[in-house]
Amino acid sequence: MGNEEKQMEMIAITVEVSGHVQGVGYRHVVQSCARDYGVTGWVKNQSNGTVAALFEGEEKVVLQLIDCCRQGSQRADVERLDVKVEEYRGEFSGLVIR
């Protein structure tokens, strides 16, 4: 097998976060974590009180970002994360708050 280079597995994941996650700086914390990890996509408040997000990037760092989503901001109270794997498209250059 020699000097085989490992291919980075690129993935896309959608997340819906339930709990007290609006009006507490949650999206800004997620955006900051995404910037640190080099993950792209978007995060936005939903009319039903949840926060939705789409993350694209290397599998390892996307999974780390999901851990960040479990924590949220200091004032957030995350009750539940619903995560779904999506088709990776590589269409974003950063993570934007919508």
Side-chain angles (χ1 to χ4, degrees):
M1 290 196 201
N3 291 336
E4 245 179 62
E5 276 190 46
K6 287 190 175 181
Q7 285 284 87
M8 286 190 288
E9 179 78 25
M10 302 300 277
I11 64 171
I13 288 179
T14 56
V15 179
E16 186 171 15
V17 187
S18 303
H20 182 63
V21 291
Q22 289 190 8
V24 292
Y26 184 88
R27 293 173 300 155
H28 292 281
V29 168
V30 171
Q31 183 184 45
S32 177
C33 288
R35 212 176 278 136
D36 292 346
Y37 295 138
V39 173
T40 63
W42 50 262
V43 60
K44 67 179 179 178
N45 285 340
Q46 302 277 80
S47 60
N48 65 359
T50 64
V51 169
L54 169 68
F55 303 135
E56 288 192 336
E58 185 183 344
E59 182 177 19
K60 177 182 172 183
V61 294
V62 169
L63 296 177
Q64 289 175 324
L65 183 56
I66 289 171
D67 285 340
C68 177
C69 289
R70 285 189 178 93
Q71 300 300 313
S73 65
Q74 284 186 328
R75 297 180 308 161
D77 181 18
V78 176
E79 293 174 5
R80 183 173 145 181
L81 281 182
D82 292 319
V83 179
K84 281 196 249 176
V85 177
E86 303 288 342
E87 181 183 341
Y88 177 80
R89 293 195 172 123
E91 60 187 323
F92 304 99
S93 59
L95 189 120
V96 295
I97 294 175
R98 291 187 172 171

